[in-house]
Amino acid sequence: MLNFTEETISVAGGNLQVYKGGSGDPLLVLHGAGGNAGPRRYAQALAEQFTVYLPSHPGYGKSDRPGWVESMQDLACFYTWFQEQEGLENVRAIGFSMGGWLAAEMLSMTGHAFSKVMLVGAAGIKPNDGEITDIFIISPAQVRDLVYHDPSQVPEWDELLGTDPTPEQVQQAEGDREMAIRLTWRPYMHNPRLPAKLGRVSVPTHILWGENDNLVPVECAGLYQQAIAGSQVTVIPNCGHSPQIEKPDDFVQAALAFL
Amino acid sequence: MFLMRFTERAYVNYTEEDVRNSPNEAVRLTFSNSNFNPEEGHYLYNMYLDEYEYSEEVGFDGLMLNEHHNTPTCLGATMNLEAAILARNTKKPKIVLLGNPLPIFDNPIRLAEELAEIDMISGGRLVSGFVRGTGVESLATNTNPLHNRARFEEAHDLVIKTWTTPGPFRWEGDHYHFRVVNPFQTPLQKPHPPVWIPGTGSPETLVWCAERNYPYIFLETDPQGTQDMKSIYTEAAREHGYEPGPENFGYLVRIHVQDTDEKAYDVGKGYMVGNIGVGRIPLPRDYASPVGYGSRSDDPRFLRLREQIRSDPFRVGGLDSAHYDEILDSKRWIIGSPETVVSQLREVLSYMRPGILAVWTNDGSISHEDTMRCLELMGQEVLPALREIGEELELTDPFQKEGVMPGLTAV
């Protein structure tokens, strides 16, 4: 894997799996509810400018599942602990989907989590008009169909989704889904108190969304912008819920321009 | 042997196409209630209650009810209401609730109150079963499926304590928190109404029941696998210092009688659209068993026990997706004239040896008239014959057991 190593870091009494690669200032990348897909093309590109840290959240991938991590607020506590221990406070960060919600919770807890942050298709705030798609009453295959606006433009389709998953991958995906259920079940994928708490945020925040997001409605980009003073929004046209996978070049361009 | 009558109280006024056109082609959870006609509901609830009341007349020892949510396959959405009506309108049979789905209750104290009222109104005839509920019950009530077993166990402990410990007391658990537990009404039966647990054989539940001497009611399980499951229960019971007998086990079977084998064969086809619904379309896996609902225990004991249970040929997709003749040939449903039914049941009972037999007399599209005739024949010919067989095979039920009655937790 180009430039990336896989490490195990002991945090809060458990092991955390972290992909680490590149050089330069640290950049913390927080994955979404579906799990850690590893250092994909976008992460490789970012690693040319930054030292990218891509951990698997507790309960995901090969990371341990501490019993006390039951909610997104617990998870945010876990990560501030990790940051403190590893000297990774006040760093740049990107959070995708549920990872964007995680980054927002961290922002609401402390002023020194991040120096700059990107929230991409972030869950966490309840839309006014639409709904965040309930991924727990549809099959993983149905979720996948909703993630991408146009599968034909996903450059890593064959590697990521082109073959049937192995039994180990299926088992891993179930473990990841179970952790997502634990963290986000009720209220589903949002925290009613989050917008008010985001009032404290003063770090530069960039909100990025796929125009055709079928999971977290694009109106949530505006709600995040309202909640975080001075934040800016970019909407990528003809793109679904995961711009970093569906349009990695556009995504990386926007990320580098901001970070 | 304790003989109780059961039906799921199906609603069948919809078509396969309606199900096909619904989200995820599912007959439960997301099948729109715009397909429900309350006028028909008015007729059906009363009809099903009439049938239960007639079941007392023909001689059943118990009236068994269950509960499911967001589904036409079972009109019992709040089973305790039907139980309360039967508590008042019948005199002798036990009211057997199998069971209240504990994890979906955010307030088990209210449940303890309802059950206490039913027990008092009925003059102490309540048998209070508890279940974990299917995944649909979790989803319909927005109960996190990951906490299903933990909530089941904690709610159970809380209900039993509410019934048996003078209040007021305080409860600060993992999932339930009450500052003053002190419902004024307590059950008539002391120390509490008996608890029976129905299920399809998860080893954790079998061991949990055995530890408490709670009868376990096998729901249409495969006879061979049932022997394995019984041995799991038996082993755990011995570790707790007692030898379980037929009084610790029940078995639920669809049993339908008509005057002739031919008539019964035709009428019995009505079962085919009961439990699985019209169209017989299997439920999506994420409805029936959401990720996290099943056990992910890595306890070697439970892994070994799970391994030990022989696989049921009907397990994948269940009995409900198998062909009618296949099911009848395997004697998983018993359908025929009284003579045929009794002779087949003798075989089943000899092998399974349950002290409690749950007789699922009708379901799906079986008509009221056919059901009433079935119940009549049950009373005239089948139940008396089963009682003789029960005595001959020494199938003791919990109420016949000398000493401590199974179903009462060690309090």
Side-chain angles (χ1 to χ4, degrees), chain A residues 65 70 134 136-140 142 171 173-175 177-179 181-183 185-186 188, chain B residues 24 29-30 106 138-139 141-147 151 284-287 290-292 296:
Chain A
R65 181 172 301 190
E70 285 270 342
D134 185 354
F136 300 140
I137 64 166
I138 56 179
S139 69
Q142 287 172 301
Q171 206 183 357
E174 287 209 355
R177 191 165 157 100
E178 183 177 321
M179 194 63 200
I181 287 175
R182 184 195 279 205
L183 292 169
W185 183 264
R186 186 168 74 174
Y188 174 66
Chain B
N24 289 316
L29 187 64
T30 46
D106 284 333
S138 282
L139 290 160
T141 56
N142 209 7
T143 312
N144 191 325
L146 287 183
H147 302 142
R151 285 172 66 94
R285 185 242 192 208
D286 292 285
Y287 285 19
V291 168
R296 282 170 69 84

Side-chain angles (χ1 to χ4, degrees), chain B residues 335-351:
Chain B
I335 290 170
S337 64
E339 199 178 304
T340 302
V341 163
V342 168
S343 111
Q344 290 191 7
L345 276 172
R346 171 183 287 278
E347 207 179 308
V348 170
L349 294 171
S350 306
Y351 188 69

Side-chain angles (χ1 to χ4, degrees), chain B residues 176-197:
Chain B
Y176 297 104
H177 309 269
F178 293 92
R179 48 185 9 100
V180 185
V181 181
N182 190 27
F184 200 68
Q185 303 81 352
T186 57
L188 180 60
Q189 296 179 85
K190 298 296 175 199
H192 60 78
V195 175
W196 300 355
I197 307 291

Side-chain angles (χ1 to χ4, degrees), chain B residues 4 51 56 82 219 273 373:
Chain B
M4 58 186 180
E51 291 173 6
E56 169 177 34
E82 292 165 276
L219 302 178
V273 296
R373 180 61 185 154

Side-chain angles (χ1 to χ4, degrees), chain A residues 134-214:
Chain A
D134 185 354
I135 60 171
F136 300 140
I137 64 166
I138 56 179
S139 69
Q142 287 172 301
V143 175
R144 190 195 60 194
D145 289 345
L146 290 172
V147 167
Y148 302 102
H149 172 60
D150 178 4
S152 72
Q153 66 182 351
V154 177
E156 294 170 295
W157 184 269
D158 286 347
E159 300 165 60
L160 281 171
L161 302 154
T163 51
D164 287 336
T166 63
E168 290 74 28
Q169 285 170 325
V170 170
Q171 206 183 357
Q172 181 64 64
E174 287 209 355
D176 289 352
R177 191 165 157 100
E178 183 177 321
M179 194 63 200
I181 287 175
R182 184 195 279 205
L183 292 169
T184 68
W185 183 264
R186 186 168 74 174
Y188 174 66
M189 282 288 173
H190 75 282
N191 172 1
R193 296 176 295 283
L194 181 61
K197 295 200 286 184
L198 289 174
R200 80 182 287 178
V201 179
S202 59
V203 300
T205 304
H206 191 120
I207 296 150
L208 188 123
W209 233 269
E211 182 187 24
N212 311 96
D213 194 323
N214 281 317

Side-chain angles (χ1 to χ4, degrees), chain B residues 83-337:
Chain B
I85 293 165
L86 292 173
R88 170 79 181 167
N89 288 358
T90 65
K91 294 293 168 234
K92 281 201 322 214
K94 304 285 183 189
I95 316 284
V96 185
L97 308 183
L98 298 182
N100 272 288
L102 289 178
I104 71 171
F105 287 91
D106 284 333
N107 182 1
I109 308 297
R110 162 76 184 222
L111 175 64
E113 290 171 323
E114 288 177 3
L115 293 171
E117 284 195 28
I118 293 167
D119 197 43
M120 284 182 281
I121 293 167
S122 69
R125 290 185 285 131
L126 175 66
V127 174
S128 175
F130 298 123
V131 299
R132 294 175 57 208
T134 72
V136 171
E137 274 63 62
S138 282
L139 290 160
T141 56
N142 209 7
T143 312
N144 191 325
L146 287 183
H147 302 142
N148 184 280
R149 184 171 295 280
R151 285 172 66 94
F152 174 83
E153 293 186 6
E154 189 179 329
H156 162 271
D157 294 350
L158 175 52
V159 168
I160 297 292
K161 184 168 180 185
T162 302
W163 282 344
T164 56
T165 306
F169 64 87
R170 183 160 155 186
W171 185 274
E172 299 290 349
D174 291 331
H175 295 277
Y176 297 104
H177 309 269
F178 293 92
R179 48 185 9 100
V180 185
V181 181
N182 190 27
F184 200 68
Q185 303 81 352
T186 57
L188 180 60
Q189 296 179 85
K190 298 296 175 199
H192 60 78
V195 175
W196 300 355
I197 307 291
T200 54
S202 103
E204 283 92 334
T205 307
L206 287 164
V207 170
W208 183 89
C209 287
E211 287 168 355
R212 287 161 182 78
N213 196 4
Y214 284 168
Y216 189 92
I217 318 298
F218 292 99
L219 302 178
E220 298 197 294
T221 47
D222 157 62
Q224 280 239 312
T226 305
Q227 301 303 328
D228 300 333
M229 299 183 228
K230 283 175 77 171
S231 64
I232 290 168
Y233 185 110
T234 300
E235 197 183 311
R238 284 175 185 156
E239 281 169 23
H240 279 75
Y242 71 97
E243 186 65 25
E247 65 277 3
N248 289 82
F249 300 106
Y251 190 47
L252 168 73
V253 204
R254 290 180 229 204
I255 305 169
H256 189 81
V257 282
Q258 291 293 339
D259 292 281
T260 64
D261 285 339
E262 294 72 24
K263 174 84 191 289
Y265 179 89
D266 284 338
V267 174
K269 287 176 186 163
Y271 280 121
M272 303 289 278
V273 296
N275 187 255
I276 186 117
V278 171
R280 305 188 85 215
I281 303 164
L283 268 192
R285 185 242 192 208
D286 292 285
Y287 285 19
S289 180
V291 168
Y293 172 82
S295 170
R296 282 170 69 84
S297 164
D298 48 11
D299 182 332
R301 185 175 58 147
F302 291 125
L303 293 177
R304 179 177 59 79
L305 294 177
R306 227 180 306 282
E307 195 66 30
Q308 184 184 324
I309 298 172
R310 271 162 279 204
S311 68
D312 176 357
F314 289 125
R315 196 164 183 95
V316 180
L319 280 171
D320 287 306
S321 58
H323 292 291
Y324 187 51
D325 290 336
E326 217 179 345
I327 299 167
L328 297 192
D329 289 347
S330 70
K331 299 197 174 63
R332 295 289 284 275
W333 296 355
I334 310 286
I335 290 170
S337 64

